Amino acid sequence: MEATSITQTKNMIIDLIKQPLFEKIDFTGTKIYDALINGAIDSATEAIRELSSLLEDLVWEAYLTSLFQSTMILSWLREMAAKKGMRLVSYQPIWITLPTGTKIQIKSPFFVKASPKRGRKKRGPQNRGGHLLLSVMGFVNKIAPELAFRAIQLSILSPSFDMASKTLKQEGINLSANQIRRLVSEMESPNLCSRVDRVLSDDDASLFKNRRILLAADGGRLRQRKNKRGPWPSGYKRCGFHTDWIEPKLFSLYILDEDGNIVKDIAPFVDGTTGKVDEFISLLEQYLVRLKIEDASEVVLIGDGAPWIWERIPKLIHSIGGDELKLTEIIDWTHAKQNLNKAFEMLSKKKREKVDFNHFKNLLFSGKINEIVTEVKSLLNVRASSKIMKKLKSYFVSNTTRMQYEASRAVKLPTGSGVIESAIRRVINMRVKSPGSFWKLDFVETVIYLRAQILYGRWGNIIKNWAHSLRCDFMDIATKAEI
């Protein structure tokens, strides 16, 4: 393939655009004139839209064609590939998808992983190579980044990948459900540091300084898809899979104002994992460290009575922020009322009639847990070994310090975990918990991660950080290329 220098790029782009564009302008002008004479405003509008799309496609095609033929770009790619242990094989014709959805064929330099000279057979990892220039330009699976990110966002917000594909098709963009699914897979983070870095902006390093932070945590439900082991049953085309329920865990980090209200002008941090508690703690630790939780004036930890919250998260906060960091732990008021009601449901019908639930609810709000235990024991004459007494001691007595709701309200602190309950519903239940949905854990974690960022206002940071990394690579090209 004939290569050109960077200095020829401008003229080549102009030459590739001129003739087809002028022909299309002339054709469109005639079409608009005829449409207006006949009163067909819709046809005129459609002609203008087609001309606009054609211009964008022509510019893209001319730009890519000239760029891929540049001698200096090829030289830089060889140098970059050498650092990655790769080598140039040849220019290969490939089809790429432009932002408008138009597919064009270009010749792209194809690189493969360089293997030892002896026994060189494979063309790269898993017998595959890569189009480095497309990667540097941000193309995802040979799809322009603007369209790729739009398809990803649409698929995460839609009920299914098939619905996202149909929506794009109505706009003239043909991306199958499997293509969109592969785009989402490309957004999987290689490690926790990269995952956190993608959602942070430059101003987030000092975001928590001298602020009150609300940290809420909870677990949801979804069904995983786990392949069965052993040989396939006779007559089946698949090995089959298990569909066990698992509990993905989410956390949210909000900033509170002096009145205890959430600062709505600042997007919260919401993320989660399908892994065990240790993986959840590791993910939360990355966020707390990067956001410098030690600079906060106070951390308010709120959740239900799940033991994993209170056994692990307070230790993590103190290990990062030190014992000087003020930590207030609160069990959600609604969960506490529900558990008090469940405790009384353990009584016989005759004894339940003696219970004034509002009286005990008021005691609970005042944080007088020991009075609740004493009155239940004396009023109902129950044994210490009874179910209700075990419930009161295991859930309420052990969490007395976390159930001081009246005192919390007095210092303008929230007593409800509605923020994380809402996150569980919006991020998990409305997308990945739907009937008949079974998920590979790695993939569904990526879906949860992306959906949380889109719904809670940090999707723009992911795109911005993606573009920043590409600009850094192009700066290398600019400094090495001779203009």
Side-chain angles (χ1 to χ4, degrees):
M1 179 178 181
E2 183 180 355
T4 62
S5 65
I6 290 291
T7 54
Q8 297 174 289
T9 299
K10 178 181 176 182
N11 292 333
M12 181 177 291
I13 291 176
I14 294 174
D15 292 339
L16 290 171
I17 294 174
K18 267 185 181 179
Q19 184 177 353
L21 179 60
F22 289 161
E23 291 177 357
K24 184 65 176 179
I25 289 176
D26 183 62
F27 174 77
T28 303
T30 303
K31 190 174 181 180
I32 292 174
Y33 176 76
D34 294 339
L36 292 177
I37 289 178
N38 297 321
I41 303 299
D42 292 344
S43 298
T45 304
E46 182 64 26
I48 294 172
R49 188 181 297 111
E50 290 177 0
L51 178 62
S52 176
S53 297
L54 175 68
L55 175 59
E56 184 174 352
D57 291 343
L58 285 174
V59 173
W60 263 103
E61 187 171 3
Y63 166 64
L64 292 173
T65 301
S66 59
L67 189 66
F68 279 45
Q69 293 181 17
S70 168
T71 305
M72 296 308 299
I73 296 296
L74 180 60
S75 175
W76 176 83
L77 286 175
R78 287 180 181 273
E79 184 177 337
M80 178 183 178
K83 294 178 181 178
K84 297 177 177 290
M86 304 182 77
R87 61 188 178 86
L88 176 64
V89 175
S90 63
Y91 276 83
Q92 295 188 1
I94 59 170
W95 287 92
I96 64 173
T97 306
L98 301 180
T100 58
T102 302
K103 293 185 178 181
I104 63 171
Q105 189 178 49
I106 61 172
K107 289 187 177 181
S108 168
F110 187 75
F111 293 80
V112 298
K113 194 74 174 178
S115 56
K117 293 182 179 179
R118 183 179 299 175
R120 179 177 288 174
K121 294 181 180 180
K122 288 189 176 182
R123 299 180 60 195
Q126 297 182 2
N127 202 31
R128 293 182 299 175
H131 297 271
L132 286 188
L133 187 52
L134 285 180
S135 299
V136 171
M137 296 179 67
F139 277 72
V140 185
N141 285 342
K142 303 174 186 177
I143 298 174
E146 296 89 344
L147 178 57
F149 280 119
R150 182 163 168 252
I152 291 170
Q153 184 178 18
L154 184 59
S155 69
I156 296 299
L157 294 176
S158 298
S160 66
F161 294 103
D162 186 58
M163 182 64 68
S165 176
K166 291 179 179 178
T167 302
L168 290 173
K169 193 170 185 179
Q170 292 174 354
E171 302 173 13
I173 299 173
N174 291 316
L175 289 180
S176 67
N178 285 334
Q179 281 181 297
I180 299 175
R181 194 177 286 110
R182 285 193 290 270
L183 291 177
V184 173
S185 297
E186 290 292 325
M187 300 301 295
E188 181 181 357
S189 299
N191 52 61
L192 292 181
C193 291
S194 173
R195 176 173 179 165
V196 177
D197 287 342
R198 289 181 179 182
V199 302
L200 296 179
S201 65
D202 297 335
D203 300 329
D204 290 336
S206 58
L207 192 61
F208 286 0
K209 190 171 185 178
N210 299 325
R211 303 258 203 165
R212 286 203 293 184
I213 307 303
L214 174 63
L215 169 58
D218 199 4
R221 297 276 284 174
L222 63 84
R223 298 180 76 173
Q224 69 169 324
R225 180 188 180 109
K226 187 176 181 181
N227 290 339
K228 294 181 179 179
R229 294 183 177 181
W232 293 2
S234 177
Y236 284 77
K237 296 182 179 180
R238 299 180 180 86
C239 62
F241 53 89
H242 299 286
T243 59
D244 299 332
W245 286 99
I246 65 166
E247 183 187 40
K249 298 173 179 60
L250 289 185
F251 67 82
S252 60
L253 287 162
Y254 285 84
I255 295 177
L256 300 176
D257 60 20
E258 295 178 355
D259 295 325
N261 298 318
I262 290 173
V263 179
K264 296 183 179 180
D265 295 337
I266 301 176
F269 296 91
V270 180
D271 204 347
T273 178
T274 58
K276 303 295 184 182
V277 176
D278 288 342
E279 296 176 44
F280 174 83
I281 294 298
S282 297
L283 177 61
L284 178 59
E285 181 180 10
Q286 288 291 329
Y287 276 90
L288 297 182
V289 170
R290 293 299 306 277
L291 294 169
K292 298 182 179 179
I293 194 67
E294 64 273 13
D295 293 340
S297 61
E298 181 182 5
V299 177
V300 181
L301 174 60
I302 196 165
D304 57 19
W308 62 268
I309 296 177
W310 311 108
E311 292 172 358
R312 301 293 297 274
I313 298 181
K315 292 180 181 178
L316 173 65
I317 294 173
H318 285 308
S319 68
I320 299 173
D323 294 333
E324 298 80 14
L325 178 60
K326 184 179 180 181
L327 174 62
T328 303
E329 302 175 22
I330 302 173
I331 283 185
D332 173 61
W333 166 236
T334 301
H335 279 88
K337 288 189 294 183
Q338 290 174 346
N339 277 274
L340 183 63
N341 187 51
K342 289 180 181 179
F344 287 126
E345 287 178 354
M346 297 176 180
L347 297 170
S348 64
K349 183 177 180 181
K350 185 177 180 180
K351 289 184 177 181
R352 282 202 304 270
E353 293 175 352
K354 299 179 181 180
V355 175
D356 181 0
F357 184 75
N358 288 329
H359 168 68
F360 286 103
K361 186 175 71 173
N362 292 333
L363 291 177
L364 176 62
F365 183 78
S366 301
K368 299 175 181 179
I369 306 302
N370 290 330
E371 289 189 28
I372 294 176
V373 176
T374 302
E375 289 193 24
V376 167
K377 191 173 183 180
S378 59
L379 175 65
L380 305 176
N381 192 25
V382 294
R383 297 180 181 179
S385 59
S386 63
K387 290 183 179 180
I388 186 172
M389 293 304 293
K390 289 181 179 180
K391 177 71 172 179
L392 292 176
K393 290 179 180 179
S394 63
Y395 187 84
F396 292 94
V397 175
S398 60
N399 290 309
T400 299
T401 59
R402 302 184 182 110
M403 295 182 173
Q404 303 302 312
Y405 302 107
E406 190 173 25
S408 297
R409 294 275 180 89
V411 293
K412 297 182 179 180
L413 290 180
T415 57
S417 61
V419 289
I420 193 63
E421 298 288 344
S422 174
I424 291 292
R425 178 178 177 273
R426 297 176 68 196
V427 176
I428 295 178
N429 294 354
M430 295 180 68
R431 181 62 176 93
V432 300
K433 194 187 174 184
S434 55
S437 294
F438 315 109
W439 301 86
K440 295 284 187 179
L441 294 190
D442 290 342
F443 182 73
V444 73
E445 181 153 333
T446 301
V447 173
I448 290 173
Y449 166 70
L450 295 177
R451 186 171 172 87
Q453 310 321 314
I454 293 172
L455 292 178
Y456 287 92
R458 294 200 168 267
W459 174 244
N461 285 354
I462 292 181
I463 298 178
K464 182 179 178 181
N465 290 329
W466 178 285
H468 175 72
S469 64
L470 298 179
R471 282 197 300 270
C472 291
D473 288 334
F474 270 113
M475 285 301 296
D476 288 340
I477 296 178
T479 56
K480 292 176 183 296
E482 297 178 0
I483 307 298

